[in-house]
Amino acid sequence: MTRPRDERAGPTPITLRYDDGTVRIDGLEEAFVSPSSLRESVPDLERDPRTDGWRVPAFRYAALRTALLDAVTEPNRIDDRVLALDSLPALRSVYELRSYQREALETWLETDRWGENASGDDPNDLRIITAPAGVLELPTGSGKTVIALKAIERLSVPTLVVVPTIDLLEQWQRELEREFDCDIGRFGGGEQRLESITVSTYDSAYLKADSVGDRFGLVVFDEVHHLGGEGYREIARLLAAPARLGLTATFERPDDAHEIIEEIAGPLVHRVDVDELAGDHLANYDLKRLEVALASDEREAYERAQETFTTYLARSGIRMQSGSDYQELVKRSGSDPEAREALLARQRAREIMYGSAAKLEALEEILDDHREERTIVFTAHNDLAYDVSERFLMPTITHQTGTAERRELLERFRDGTYTRIATSNVLDEGVDVPDASVAVVLSGSGSEREFVQRLGRILRPKADGSRAVLYEVVSADTSEEGVSSRRRDGT
DNA sequence: ACTGACCGACAACCAGCGGACCCA
DNA sequence: TGGGTCAAGTTCTTGTCGGTCAG
């Protein structure tokens, strides 16, 4: 299928093509456009010695196009062949947005950075009237999916939706099929099928992006914080899609990789806080923190392990003030057996304070207080999850739980056969967990993201309007107090 | 069709105390 | 002078996920 060449374009137009995750630019010098002037808005413009042209990573396409339209007097001299978009039936979504959802969507739409529509005779350009790019931060349970569905409807352009887990892959596929009544493609879970609207896992998108990067006008990154990973960020770089929407409940990352996400997916443009929605669209909630003491033998073992750790630090001159100091310790442990011993001792200390006997006592009381309520108990380690399971006779889900068993347990939890469930990190993200009203964080990391996700499990509005409770059980006089305050910094 | 084993990716990982050095 | 930066050889362990392949 060839497109008619524009006769009025005069001699040698600038040609843009998609090529393996990049945009190839030919005819720049012939049109008297200086590459250095383009570099201001397209920093990674590079000469390609093999083709004697220029090249940018595909994610710069929108910026490149805008810059070129500014630099060229006659728009016709740009022959834009980057996107190869299929036609799409008119999309109609029946969802009514809530007011905060509408506000988020409109803010995102206003981030348009598409240049004026240039070569108007190309059906491929006409489809895209705007190219917004940005990230929305909204709490779990606030209906992020619905906003994305509306965004897809508004742009009505072939769209790739990228999600972290197979569970989410299936949820999105169902939603999209129901909403738009057309075939939905799928990359992931053993299937590689391209359609105008396609859902993909991050892993499959990583494998396919360079070959299908010209087929979408819009890309939606669900749980966009994953895009900060070293490998996953390539996905966004290889796609030419000028419109980008990122969704997450917790945008900022401790490693500052959100700055990279802003570059490749768009800046954070709108955020809604949990407390703005609590009581109205989400359940009201209480946070309770219980401190428990270590038993004397635990205390002794804890101090001994901590001692081993700190003595090594003192002897080796590591200051342990920031993350890089910790990295340093880890590096040394590769060659220095004493450093390794110190790290293992620290690990033992953590296991002791995370799984102390008194925590199980405290849990017993909590469970007594909430007998008939649906309760999820979270732990940091599988061992503790299994301990809880054994002592209180409640089912456990860890990553070792098979898919069939996992599905059955969640189903029974949903229908009320089980009112309690214990889990490690499995249910933090991406799994469709039935609503609960009580969450007990028996142990966990200092991650604010983990905390927010666990809190999200109890925030769906209750039918009777009752409040949800999240308990944190912390070992007193241990470094867990610091861990606990770190994770709650954002709330 | 499902399962288990394997692999790679990702994330969290954080006593406190100072000292040498560089640059504006 | 005052304030910010920061070591080297490439890195602990645990937990979780997706993709792949064999049976």
Side-chain angles (χ1 to χ4, degrees):
Chain A
M1 189 166 71
T2 54
R3 296 190 200 99
R5 192 55 162 275
D6 191 336
E7 298 299 326
R8 297 161 301 167
T12 60
I14 300 172
T15 311
L16 305 182
R17 287 191 190 85
Y18 182 81
D19 182 21
D20 245 2
T22 67
V23 171
R24 227 178 87 187
I25 310 148
D26 290 305
L28 209 55
E29 285 93 343
E30 290 85 341
F32 304 108
V33 174
S34 99
S36 54
S37 70
L38 286 179
R39 277 224 182 80
E40 275 174 37
S41 37
V42 193
D44 28 27
L45 182 68
E46 271 181 16
R47 174 160 277 287
D48 181 349
R50 285 169 311 164
T51 64
D52 204 34
W54 294 81
R55 227 176 250 278
V56 291
F59 80 101
R60 295 286 190 197
Y61 168 52
L64 171 71
R65 188 187 142 111
T66 311
L68 276 177
L69 289 175
D70 276 349
V72 171
T73 43
E74 272 184 80
N76 288 349
R77 300 181 61 177
I78 298 171
D79 184 12
D80 184 348
R81 304 170 171 224
V82 172
L83 296 179
L85 305 182
D86 290 331
S87 60
L88 207 64
L91 297 175
R92 274 197 53 77
S93 153
V94 293
Y95 273 112
E96 278 294 313
L97 289 187
R98 299 171 187 164
S99 60
Y100 67 87
Q101 293 169 328
R102 193 174 317 118
E103 201 181 320
L105 176 62
E106 294 301 330
T107 313
W108 176 74
L109 285 169
E110 282 164 20
T111 61
D112 181 18
R113 57 200 179 127
W114 200 234
E116 282 174 34
N117 208 329
S119 35
D121 54 350
D122 188 338
N124 269 316
D125 302 317
L126 282 176
R127 297 197 171 284
I128 300 174
I129 46 167
T130 62
V135 172
L136 304 177
E137 187 185 79
L138 295 115
T140 315
S142 63
K144 291 193 284 283
T145 314
V146 180
I147 299 176
L149 291 174
K150 277 288 174 191
I152 296 170
E153 181 202 20
R154 287 287 279 273
L155 297 192
S156 279
V157 74
T159 298
L160 178 68
V161 179
V162 188
V163 304
T165 65
I166 304 265
D167 264 294
L168 283 169
L169 190 75
E170 276 159 7
Q171 284 171 46
W172 273 91
Q173 193 176 3
R174 276 198 304 273
E175 283 283 322
L176 287 162
E177 273 165 1
R178 183 168 17 160
E179 200 59 15
F180 294 138
D181 196 31
C182 62
D183 279 346
I184 302 299
R186 172 173 167 145
F187 298 151
E191 208 181 322
Q192 305 287 320
R193 194 166 46 86
L194 174 71
E195 297 287 344
S196 291
I197 299 180
T198 297
V199 192
S200 172
T201 60
Y202 277 84
D203 289 84
S204 284
Y206 178 65
L207 298 173
K208 300 223 55 152
D210 56 350
S211 62
V212 298
D214 56 343
R215 306 299 297 275
F216 304 102
L218 165 66
V219 54
V220 176
F221 293 104
D222 193 17
E223 310 293 351
V224 70
H225 49 269
H226 288 284
L227 208 54
E230 295 279 347
Y232 290 163
R233 62 182 66 162
E234 288 307 312
I235 300 168
R237 290 212 164 95
L238 296 169
L239 297 172
R244 289 162 189 242
L245 173 60
L247 301 169
T248 179
T250 47
F251 181 60
E252 272 197 32
R253 297 169 50 112
D255 60 1
D256 285 341
H258 52 268
E259 288 167 15
I260 286 159
I261 299 176
E262 298 207 292
E263 189 185 12
I264 58 184
L268 178 65
V269 293
H270 190 76
R271 59 180 301 181
V272 179
D273 195 81
V274 195
D275 293 327
E276 288 175 49
L277 304 182
D280 209 357
H281 301 288
L282 295 176
N284 273 309
Y285 66 96
D286 294 312
L287 299 178
K288 296 190 180 176
R289 183 166 138 164
L290 306 179
E291 291 202 354
V292 300
L294 293 183
S296 59
D297 55 332
E298 289 170 342
R299 170 60 67 185
E300 198 185 317
Y302 174 82
E303 298 293 352
R304 203 165 46 229
Q306 201 70 1
E307 171 91 13
T308 313
F309 182 52
T310 52
T311 335
Y312 177 79
L313 291 181
R315 192 143 39 88
S316 62
I318 294 183
R319 297 169 302 283
M320 197 62 74
Q321 280 168 346
S322 66
S324 62
D325 298 319
Y326 182 76
Q327 295 290 324
E328 179 56 29
L329 176 59
V330 171
K331 275 184 207 162
R332 283 199 201 183
S333 69
S335 50
D336 180 354
E338 290 185 18
R340 189 177 140 77
E341 183 47 43
L343 269 178
L344 291 175
R346 185 188 118 282
Q347 183 71 17
R348 281 199 301 277
R350 278 175 48 201
E351 269 166 33
I352 292 163
M353 72 188 185
Y354 281 173
S356 70
K359 285 196 172 188
L360 293 182
E361 306 293 330
L363 178 59
E364 183 161 22
E365 273 184 42
I366 295 171
L367 292 177
D368 272 349
D369 287 348
H370 301 275
R371 277 192 176 287
E372 298 306 318
E373 292 175 73
R374 223 173 293 190
T375 304
I376 305 181
V377 180
F378 294 99
T379 68
H381 298 280
N382 287 339
D383 287 353
L384 183 57
Y386 288 121
D387 282 353
V388 168
S389 165
E390 216 167 284
R391 170 146 172 195
F392 299 102
L393 301 173
M394 61 171 93
T396 316
I397 297 182
T398 71
H399 77 285
Q400 295 166 21
T401 313
T403 45
E405 192 186 352
R406 193 182 294 196
R407 196 168 25 239
E408 191 188 329
L409 287 176
L410 287 175
E411 192 44 52
R412 297 247 182 110
F413 188 61
R414 195 186 318 271
D415 70 23
T417 315
Y418 301 135
T419 54
R420 299 161 175 176
I421 205 158
T423 179
S424 43
N425 300 324
V426 194
L427 303 183
D428 281 354
E429 177 185 298
V431 189
D432 195 10
V433 183
D435 316 335
S437 53
V438 181
V440 185
V441 175
L442 222 47
S443 64
S445 72
S447 159
E448 191 189 326
R449 170 160 300 123
E450 179 189 274
F451 186 74
V452 167
Q453 279 159 346
R454 290 175 166 185
L455 178 62
R457 289 306 182 196
I458 57 171
L459 287 182
R460 247 174 262 275
K462 310 293 170 256
D464 57 1
S466 61
R467 297 175 76 86
V469 197
L470 184 145
Y471 290 92
E472 244 186 319
V473 186
V474 174
S475 291
D477 300 316
T478 68
S479 61
E480 191 179 16
E481 294 182 329
V483 170
S484 160
S485 67
R486 237 179 295 141
R487 67 173 157 240
R488 290 168 60 155
D489 272 355
T491 56

